[in-house]
Amino acid sequence: MVAEMKAEQIGQAARTDMQLVVPSRPVLRRGVRLRRAGDAVVLDGADRAQVFSGAFAREGLVPLAEACDGSRDHAEIAQKAGFAESTVYKCLALLWSAGAIEEAPEAGAAGPGGLPADDSPWAVFLSRLGNSTGANPSWTRAVARLAARSVRLEGDDALVSAAQRALREVCPLSDGAGPPPADELTVFFETAASAPPLAATEERCRRDGRPLLRMRADARTVIVGPYVDLSITPCLDCGRHGEAELSGELPAPLSDLVAGLAAHHITALLAQAAISHLPSDSTVVDLSTLSTAPRPSTVRPGCPRCSFTRGPVAPQAPAGAVYEASVAMPPRAFLAPRDHQAHYYVANQRLQSQFKDWPSRAHTTLPAPDLSVLAASERHDPSRGEAPLTLDALGLVLKIAFGIKDEETTPERVKRWTAASGNIGSTTAYVLLRDDRVLPAGVYAYAQESHTLAALSHQAPPGDAPCELVITGDLKKVMTKYGTFGFRLVFLDAGCNLAAAREVAQQLGLGFAARPDWDDSDLAQVLGTTPADEPVAAVARLGGRA
């Protein structure tokens, strides 16, 4: 899949979005280069392939990048390259988002054994892969992070020795003598023989408030994690819940593989300069195929260490809790600004302007909304009883809860009346109408862009409300941008839709009540949808009893 981003757009965003930080004295990352390739410019050596197209990219991008040697600010680069400073800023924002540039090294930066040379493999690794998170302005900051944290290795002797060889020139290793630093990371290598002391190690780390990373290895699998820090993660018992028994000892030739996995993730945790599933998830690695499977760390209800509930510990975490853990945002200390850039991909920006239309169905145009009735002075007096449902009232409820602001919407940006995750519009409103005084009874879909109702069926399902709103999630649309996290956003958006519909209904004096339960299969049949692609997120009664 091609992810396209425009310099104009990311440049404008960088001036207002605090998660996008353009280097003030930029320098090319170690191990990367920009080169002409036909009508485009190619970025080599970054963590993913990048191609820059367009007239400016062909003629100006390479000279501009050559001026980024770490000694110049934006004005000096503009003077050197012969471009306007505003143009330079936009290009630098694009180059930063692509992983081509970083901040020039800080003066006086130092690491374990001194700062590595600019062209050393270690410096190149931290610089070119540092863009994986964007958490460090430069590779020297990653070195400083590593130098500031010590690591204690415990557990299986062979794995401890192998990990010491891998990490001795990377970060300080504790010898266990003297009081440990407050932020020391303990890594425990658990095997069938070394497992018994793990409980004491976990208790010590928990008592002292220090983090613990468990590495588990047997004859068939390696499990990286869980990472345990009770200020941000579940406890060890919850994090490893459901694991199979250890199946024999790790084959000796695989010790270096396990130590290498540990070294990578330790570096990622401390330096935040490489990709890691930690601290939120564990990963199970099959030693015969090297395939990996994620395992979210989830709190078990009733756990005395990390659950808010009290009582017996649940035999397993509920499916909903496992899902929530699998899509949860990382703790603040491990946020990845790079991930935030997905908002500005051209394809994701286009999602806001994609609307369902039902072109083969007959459409009824809803009355233009009369916004004046939403003034405080027009609020319905409850003592007068419920007002009757009318087409004007139904149209106003749908417009405010699901529609767009026509006067403020432009081809570049859609403006909505109600909050929507990523401004995508991940929900769809259906109307089950049983009151012929409003419209012929039937099932309708609300077309947001045209403010019309598309007739899906001329027979409404049985019910005691003159009108019901059914809110479904457009998973195919929202997951294009957010993946499985989109399922959660559907319900957040449905909640915003319900809240807006309720406020308008109360303002107009219409009866409104959210339904606590419904039959997904029955509603899917009525709407002609499938729960896998378009799950029902909310249902509400609108209007009085029929």
Side-chain angles (χ1 to χ4, degrees), residues 18-376:
M18 297 182 67
Q19 295 194 64
L20 304 178
V21 182
V22 179
S24 57
R25 289 186 175 271
V27 62
L28 280 178
R29 291 184 182 272
R30 276 65 180 166
V32 306
R33 68 172 181 176
L34 287 165
R35 61 179 174 85
R36 283 287 300 272
D39 291 335
V41 173
V42 177
L43 174 63
D44 294 322
D47 57 343
R48 61 180 179 178
Q50 301 280 316
V51 177
F52 303 94
S53 59
F56 182 86
R58 289 192 299 272
E59 305 300 329
L61 201 56
V62 172
L64 187 147
E66 290 174 347
C68 297
D69 61 1
S71 66
R72 301 181 178 94
D73 61 19
H74 296 183
E76 293 167 331
I77 292 173
Q79 184 178 12
K80 172 73 174 177
F83 303 125
E85 188 174 345
S86 59
T87 300
V88 168
Y89 183 87
K90 295 172 187 176
C91 292
L92 293 178
L94 183 64
L95 290 172
W96 177 82
S97 68
I101 59 173
E102 63 186 345
E103 193 69 65
E106 301 170 2
L115 197 65
D118 284 2
D119 58 351
S120 71
W122 186 224
V124 170
F125 171 81
L126 291 176
S127 180
R128 64 190 290 205
L129 293 188
N131 192 51
S132 299
T133 65
N136 298 295
S138 71
W139 67 274
T140 55
R141 178 70 64 84
V143 172
R145 286 178 184 265
L146 287 168
R149 296 282 299 275
S150 67
V151 176
R152 176 186 293 214
L153 303 174
E154 297 184 6
D156 184 87
D157 291 337
L159 292 175
V160 167
S161 297
Q164 287 173 337
R165 293 193 299 271
L167 290 168
R168 61 191 174 196
E169 296 182 6
V170 174
C171 58
L173 298 178
S174 172
D175 58 7
D183 58 353
E184 179 183 78
L185 171 65
T186 298
V187 180
F188 191 97
F189 293 93
E190 180 186 13
T191 60
S194 68
L198 175 58
T201 297
E202 188 269 342
E203 174 63 24
R204 185 192 73 235
C205 291
R206 185 170 60 87
R207 183 185 64 245
D208 297 340
R210 296 184 177 88
L212 167 68
L213 171 61
R214 193 280 308 260
M215 294 286 301
R216 183 181 191 261
D218 60 21
R220 295 198 296 262
T221 61
V222 175
I223 303 179
V224 182
Y227 175 84
V228 181
D229 177 348
L230 289 186
S231 65
I232 57 175
T233 74
C235 68
L236 177 62
D237 288 341
C238 285
R240 64 180 177 177
H241 173 71
E243 291 179 350
E245 295 292 329
L246 287 160
S247 60
E249 292 293 341
L250 176 76
L254 296 180
S255 293
D256 284 342
L257 171 63
V258 177
L261 286 170
H264 171 89
H265 291 285
I266 290 169
T267 301
L269 279 171
L270 302 187
Q272 296 188 34
I275 293 175
S276 175
H277 57 271
L278 299 172
S280 301
D281 297 336
S282 297
T283 289
V284 182
V285 182
D286 187 304
L287 290 176
S288 61
T289 64
L290 294 185
S291 62
T292 62
R295 291 191 56 184
S297 190
T298 313
V299 173
R300 298 167 299 160
C303 174
R305 292 180 177 175
C306 53
S307 174
F308 285 100
T309 62
R310 292 292 176 260
V313 180
Q316 61 184 20
V322 175
Y323 168 75
E324 284 291 324
S326 71
V327 300
M329 297 290 286
R332 185 172 180 81
F334 293 91
L335 279 175
R338 173 73 178 275
D339 296 340
H340 183 67
Q341 296 170 27
H343 286 291
Y344 303 105
Y345 291 147
V346 172
N348 288 338
Q349 290 286 311
R350 289 174 181 157
L351 289 174
Q352 62 180 306
S353 301
Q354 294 176 7
F355 300 97
K356 286 187 173 183
D357 187 51
W358 300 272
S360 63
R361 302 290 184 172
H363 284 245
T364 299
T365 300
L366 291 166
D370 180 6
L371 301 180
S372 66
V373 301
L374 299 179

